[in-house]
């Protein structure tokens, strides 16, 4: 085992070895893990608990403690796939693993297509587990022998797994799913050329085949198109956070759909094939901040048209209307002022503002710094939406003082 520094999170991580995995998979390893699982391992007890584990299990203690902590983290993220309480992980693999609801959504789309799937970057096995739960016949491969050993443990002896380079196809008729590595030395790699393997090389390797690729949500859509991808880009959010952009080949997408926003929490999907008649008007009673998946997929107008809303400005993602969409958190407009800190402070004081939420688009404002300068001390929780209305010399930063619906 090797300890390495996570430059992104400032933590020291354990790098497992194949010997560690072999021990953790053994009966004696399982018994040791059960013993370590009894430890609290909280911030208050961590030092004493690790010392106790080391006194009992010697050099095996770091792998046992790390596995125990990773299993606890994995429960909420992956528990919907299956019982992951006895799975093996690395920290990096768990960070990149798709949250269960998102993975099950993708697996459901593939199940509807009635295809066999080859997960060419199966890592520790989470996507294969989701596919199996959805009733999809799936095989997995990975070039990393350590992660493959973990996947064999996690998925059981019935899983079809092999070691292979994702850039060297080992199946013929299956739909290929890939989740290229986007972390190195604890840091996220956002450019598609820095993926492992690079996105362009993946697309070239499976040219002429149906290839589904999970990507970072901030991926450059135009760059993807220039690489030769001509299918659908689906942006998915869950629990208010944009989780991923997934590339779907034309053969597995609805005809005419090039972009899709999928809001899992509400079971809502918007595509660029939907109507987009969305006028620009002054703010009405409510301001709506569309879900991040809608914004990222460039489908704000389509979302507005569906829900009878209009844009405040053609280039700004905020929408407005006489009533918000059902179940969506929105902001009831109480007052509108030209954005100036003195004017805004007076407006907030007159409304007895206490706790203050600040949302900003199109204006260079640090919400936290502004909140400190405004120093609200009243009793009413309020929200301020700051945005630019209009372009060029006619454009002006505007602040809407609002009451959030929830």
């Amino acid at each position: 085992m090797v300890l390495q520094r996570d430059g992104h999170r400032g933590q020291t991580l354990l790098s497992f070895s194949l010997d560690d995995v072999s021990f953790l998979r053994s009966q004696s390893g399982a018994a040791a893990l059960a013993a370590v699982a009894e430890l609290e391992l909280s911030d208050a007890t961590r030092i004493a608990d690790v010392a106790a584990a080391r006194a009992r299990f010697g050099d095996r203690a770091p792998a046992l403690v790390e596995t125990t902590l990773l299993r606890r983290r994995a429960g909420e993220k992956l528990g919907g796939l299956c019982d992951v309480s006895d799975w093996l992980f690395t920290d990096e693999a768990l960070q990149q693993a798709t949250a269960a609801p998102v993975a099950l959504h993708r697996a459901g789309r593939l199940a509807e297509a009635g295809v066999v799937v080859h997960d060419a970057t199966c890592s520790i096995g989470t996507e294969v587990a989701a596919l199996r739960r959805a009733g999809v016949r799936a095989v997995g491969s990975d070039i990393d022998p350590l992660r493959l050993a973990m996947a064999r443990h996690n998925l059981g002896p019935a899983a079809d797994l092999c070691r292979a380079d994702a850039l060297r196809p080992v199946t013929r008729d299956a739909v290929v799913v890939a989740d290229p590595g986007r972390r190195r030395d604890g840091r996220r790699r956002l450019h598609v050329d820095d993926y492992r393997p690079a996105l362009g090389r993946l697309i070239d390797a499976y040219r002429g085949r149906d290839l589904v690729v999970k990507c970072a949500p901030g991926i450059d859509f135009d760059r993807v198109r220039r690489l030769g991808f001509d299918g659908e880009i689906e942006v998915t959010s869950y629990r208010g956070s944009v989780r991923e952009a997934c590339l779907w080949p034309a053969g597995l997408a609805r005809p005419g759909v090039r972009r899709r926003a999928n809001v899992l929490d509400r079971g809502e999907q918007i595509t660029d094939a939907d109507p987009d008649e969305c006028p620009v008007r002054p703010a009405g009673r409510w301001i709506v901040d569309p879900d991040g998946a809608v914004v990222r997929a460039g489908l704000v107008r389509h979302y507005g048209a569906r829900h009878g809303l209009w844009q405040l400005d053609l280039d700004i993602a905020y929408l407005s209307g006489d009533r918000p969409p059902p179940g969506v958190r929105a902001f009831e407009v109480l007052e509108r002022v030209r954005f100036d800190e003195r004017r805004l402070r007076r407006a907030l004081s007159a409304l007895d503002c206490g706790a203050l939420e600040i949302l900003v688009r199109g204006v260079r404002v640090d919400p936290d710094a502004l909140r400190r300068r405004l120093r609200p001390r009243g009793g009413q929780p309020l929200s301020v939406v700051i945005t630019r209305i209009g372009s060029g010399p006619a454009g002006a930063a505007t602040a809407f003082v609002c009451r959030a619906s929830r």
Side-chain angles (χ1 to χ4, degrees):
M1 69 190 71
V2 177
L3 294 177
Q4 58 185 20
R5 191 73 173 169
D6 182 338
H8 178 68
R9 299 194 301 167
Q11 298 178 358
T12 300
L13 306 178
L14 174 71
S15 180
F16 288 88
S17 68
L18 283 171
D19 178 65
D20 293 326
V21 175
S22 179
F23 168 71
L24 294 171
R25 296 181 65 187
S26 69
Q27 288 187 347
S28 57
L33 282 166
V36 173
E38 297 295 321
L39 300 173
E40 185 176 334
L41 291 171
S42 66
D43 290 342
T45 68
R46 182 76 56 87
I47 294 176
D49 288 342
V50 170
R54 187 174 293 277
R56 183 170 177 182
F57 299 110
D59 290 343
R60 296 294 189 187
L64 293 167
V65 170
E66 180 79 349
T67 298
T68 300
L69 293 173
L70 290 172
R71 285 177 173 179
R72 292 177 184 177
R73 281 172 45 200
E76 181 178 0
K77 184 175 186 179
L78 303 176
L81 300 178
C82 58
D83 181 5
V84 297
S85 62
D86 65 346
W87 274 36
L88 301 179
F89 306 91
T90 69
D91 183 86
E92 186 178 81
L94 180 56
Q95 287 186 56
Q96 184 160 329
T98 308
V102 182
L104 290 170
H105 164 72
R106 177 169 29 254
R109 285 191 63 168
L110 290 163
E112 290 176 1
V115 296
V116 177
V117 175
H118 170 206
D119 182 355
T121 55
C122 73
S123 185
I124 55 174
T126 54
E127 294 283 344
V128 174
L131 290 163
R132 293 194 335 190
R133 176 159 182 174
V136 178
R137 183 185 170 193
V139 299
S141 63
D142 202 283
I143 197 171
D144 186 334
L146 186 137
R147 293 195 184 187
L148 196 60
M150 289 184 169
R152 292 188 188 281
H153 170 83
N154 297 341
L155 298 172
D160 292 321
L161 302 172
C162 68
R163 188 181 182 199
D165 186 337
L167 296 177
R168 297 180 180 275
V170 294
T171 56
R172 291 182 178 175
D173 299 323
V175 171
V176 176
V177 171
D179 181 5
R182 295 181 298 282
R183 291 180 181 272
R184 188 176 305 164
D185 300 328
R187 294 185 179 275
R188 291 185 178 90
R189 304 295 175 176
L190 302 180
H191 197 284
V192 296
D193 293 338
D194 294 329
Y195 286 9
R196 295 179 295 171
L199 181 58
R201 298 187 66 193
L202 262 177
I203 291 174
D204 288 342
Y206 295 97
R207 187 90 51 191
R209 293 190 49 185
D210 283 336
L211 171 67
V212 179
V213 187
K214 172 187 168 184
C215 301
I219 191 171
D220 183 336
F221 291 3
D222 291 337
R223 171 64 174 158
V224 171
R225 300 296 183 193
R226 290 196 297 271
L227 291 174
F229 173 77
D230 63 352
E232 171 198 316
I233 302 176
E234 178 184 36
V235 183
T236 298
S237 68
Y238 175 61
R239 292 184 175 177
S241 174
V242 181
R243 300 304 181 100
E244 66 173 48
C246 186
L247 311 186
W248 289 91
L252 295 177
R254 197 178 90 196
V257 173
R258 304 269 285 174
R259 287 172 287 124
R260 180 188 302 268
N262 176 23
V263 186
L264 276 182
D265 302 272
R266 297 198 295 272
E268 182 173 26
Q269 296 189 30
I270 309 281
T271 77
D272 59 346
D274 297 337
D276 66 346
E277 294 83 11
C278 183
V280 177
R281 298 177 189 164
R285 179 180 176 185
W286 295 90
I287 290 177
V288 176
D289 184 12
D291 184 89
V294 174
V295 177
R296 182 68 194 92
L299 299 174
V300 171
R301 292 176 57 82
H302 304 73
Y303 179 84
R306 172 177 294 187
H307 293 289
L309 305 173
W310 58 86
Q311 289 184 281
L312 298 178
D313 183 272
L314 190 61
D315 298 318
I316 299 295
Y318 289 130
L319 296 167
S320 186
D322 297 324
R323 63 181 62 85
V328 172
R329 184 172 186 260
F331 304 90
E332 186 178 15
V333 178
L334 304 178
E335 188 168 347
R336 168 179 174 166
V337 299
R338 185 181 181 92
F339 177 57
D340 172 272
E341 290 191 22
R342 289 173 296 179
R343 293 180 184 180
L344 181 56
R345 186 179 293 109
R346 287 195 296 268
L348 293 172
S349 178
L351 291 167
D352 191 32
C353 177
L356 178 61
E357 173 186 24
I358 300 176
L359 295 83
V360 178
R361 278 212 176 101
V363 180
R364 300 185 71 173
V365 172
D366 181 334
D368 294 329
L370 176 59
R371 187 183 300 107
R372 288 192 296 269
R373 292 195 299 270
L374 292 172
R375 301 188 301 276
R377 296 174 181 173
Q380 298 298 320
L382 295 176
S383 302
V384 172
V385 177
I386 303 173
T387 189
R388 186 172 183 82
I389 305 295
S391 59
T398 303
F400 298 90
V401 182
C402 306
R403 180 184 294 114
S405 60
R406 54 182 171 84

